[in-house]
Amino acid sequence: MTLAAGVMALTACQNELYNNPLEDFVADQGAYIDTEGPIQIFVEENKEYHLKDIKIGLSQKKETNNFVSLTAGSQEQLDRYNAANGTSYLMLPPEMYDIPSEMEFKASVTKQILPVVLKDITFSLKGEYALPIKVSGGSVQAIPGSNEGIVILEKLTRTKVLRFNGSGSENAQMFPNDFKVDYWTLEFMINRDEYFLNNMAIAGTKLVENAGPHDEIYTRFGDVTIDPNQFQIKTGSSQIDVDKKLFAAQPNTWYMISIVYDGKFHRIYVNGGLVAEQEIRSGAYGLVGFWISGKNQYIREVRFWDSPRTEQQVKNYVWKMVNPEDEGLLLYYPCNGKKRDMDGNITEDVSMIWNWATKYKKTHPDANLDLPAQGSYPEKEFVFPLQNE
């Protein structure tokens, strides 16, 4: 399988001290990596991919044979990349790729494809993988500023998704009656067949004892004052109606909706883009449980954090699964018909809507954070990030 359709971006990855490293290089002959930056690809697990987008070049056309030495998998190089770009990519394990350590250049040849094979890839929920590559020498010098490149692997997820049957699912006694969160983020990904009724509830929290509308977190499409495909959150004894010019839901379309409360402002994002921002209330929210409405059709990646996710974090995880062991993740329902235990073992199990988050379970091992099983998992699979048909 080639990666012609998988290459997402080629952006500058050269040393900023050099305007053009090839022009500044003054030695008789030099070798470089001929890409304009990180090669970002989406791959499925347990499939083999042959990269043809990385080329190794020589600066001069010479009537002599040369060889170029290559290294891959440098943790130091990956650490530098992560620090410079604010990322946290994990090193691709060596058993998941093949790359030559040396390339031969016949006389007059100045550029060749570097054959890289990705194989038997299994992703970690702790992060995405990256493979740093470097021209390390050979019979010619490596050109500083153009001798490093990186391949970034993003997971392409093919999954079944929960479809509700009209009955909602809730667990009203997950947390103690005095449980509060100073900040929160609520996220979910939905796809509905139609939008024509009002008060099409999505998901929300159950309140602490004696709480009122001030602590309410209730999300839905449609109300008496807005259209059925218009998104609304009721909270803080008030509500936010998203302007239809910024977001009007369409049937049979996937949307990731994120609501972030930072202790003062409520911000709403759709597919990573900000569509509403409003100051309604301040202070902690009390909650004891959580619910998902039976009015949903397909729903997945339902997450509740006890921290305010940043705009970049929201964008980075629009279509992706998240790390169940993230310190801020309080509730996590992938809604994929699978159970994950505290040791990270994943099994097929549709007997509950399973919570994958481990934060609260680590300190309260007897707490029940799962939701009652409702709906079904049709045979149809969806692929995320969304692919063009």
Side-chain angles (χ1 to χ4, degrees), residues 15-33:
N15 191 319
E16 294 180 358
L17 296 176
Y18 294 85
N19 292 325
N20 188 330
L22 297 182
E23 292 181 358
D24 292 343
F25 189 70
V26 296
D28 182 60
Q29 184 64 286
Y32 64 98
I33 297 180

Side-chain angles (χ1 to χ4, degrees), residues 46-325:
N46 303 314
K47 289 191 175 182
E48 186 169 292
Y49 295 84
H50 295 256
L51 278 66
K52 297 183 178 180
D53 302 280
I54 306 172
K55 295 181 180 179
I56 305 299
L58 298 180
S59 61
Q60 303 291 332
K61 185 176 182 179
K62 298 287 186 178
E63 296 300 323
T64 56
N65 294 342
N66 288 287
F67 70 92
V68 174
S69 297
L70 300 152
T71 58
S74 166
Q75 187 64 53
E76 183 273 335
Q77 184 180 340
L78 179 58
D79 290 344
R80 279 193 286 109
Y81 181 88
N82 281 333
N85 294 277
T87 53
S88 55
Y89 292 111
L90 307 175
M91 181 66 71
L92 182 66
E95 64 271 17
M96 296 184 188
Y97 66 89
D98 286 327
I99 184 172
S101 60
E102 187 174 288
M103 290 181 66
E104 181 181 3
F105 282 75
K106 298 293 186 181
S108 300
V109 175
T110 60
K111 195 172 293 184
Q112 296 186 101
I113 292 173
L114 173 63
V116 178
V117 179
L118 307 177
K119 58 181 183 177
D120 301 325
I121 296 171
T122 302
F123 282 92
S124 166
L125 288 172
K126 295 182 179 180
E128 310 286 10
Y129 287 131
L131 176 62
I133 301 170
K134 183 176 183 179
V135 172
S136 54
S139 63
V140 298
Q141 294 185 43
I143 299 178
S146 284
N147 66 325
E148 293 185 352
I150 192 165
V151 180
I152 296 170
L153 283 68
E154 306 278 7
K155 183 179 181 181
L156 197 64
T157 301
R158 187 180 300 274
T159 182
K160 293 181 180 180
V161 180
L162 176 63
R163 185 179 177 94
F164 273 86
N165 58 12
S167 299
S169 182
E170 74 171 43
N171 182 342
Q173 298 296 326
M174 294 178 172
F175 309 106
N177 280 332
D178 59 353
F179 191 83
K180 292 182 180 293
V181 292
D182 294 321
Y183 323 99
W184 53 265
T185 301
L186 172 60
E187 298 184 296
F188 40 77
M189 191 184 300
I190 60 171
N191 182 333
R192 287 182 165 170
D193 297 339
E194 51 196 8
Y195 293 87
F196 68 91
L197 297 174
N198 284 326
N199 193 28
M200 298 294 287
I202 305 171
T205 60
K206 304 296 292 185
L207 306 182
V208 296
E209 188 176 358
N210 299 320
H214 202 61
D215 276 352
E216 184 177 35
I217 302 175
Y218 183 100
T219 60
R220 65 183 175 185
F221 281 101
D223 191 13
V224 292
T225 59
I226 60 176
D227 291 335
N229 67 339
Q230 195 168 358
F231 180 76
Q232 178 190 86
I233 176 173
K234 292 172 59 181
T235 190
S237 303
S238 185
Q239 65 194 47
I240 301 175
D241 301 333
V242 175
D243 189 338
K244 286 189 63 176
K245 295 179 181 178
L246 299 176
F247 173 47
Q250 301 300 312
N252 302 309
T253 303
W254 281 104
Y255 298 104
M256 169 59 90
I257 299 176
S258 307
I259 306 106
V260 179
Y261 171 67
D262 65 4
K264 183 177 182 181
F265 287 95
H266 294 78
R267 296 179 175 89
I268 301 174
Y269 301 84
V270 177
N271 296 348
L274 183 66
V275 296
E277 180 179 28
Q278 190 169 324
E279 183 178 358
I280 294 178
R281 53 152 290 178
S282 60
Y285 273 72
L287 67 145
V288 296
F290 194 82
W291 58 267
I292 301 176
S293 173
K295 296 180 180 180
N296 294 296
Q297 273 101 46
Y298 289 110
I299 187 165
R300 69 183 296 262
E301 288 300 302
V302 181
R303 316 161 185 165
F304 190 85
W305 312 75
D306 62 3
S307 60
R309 299 285 277 176
T310 67
E311 183 174 357
Q312 192 61 50
Q313 287 174 321
V314 169
K315 289 180 178 179
N316 287 348
Y317 288 90
V318 166
W319 304 116
K320 301 177 186 177
M321 299 181 72
V322 295
N323 182 6
E325 298 179 9

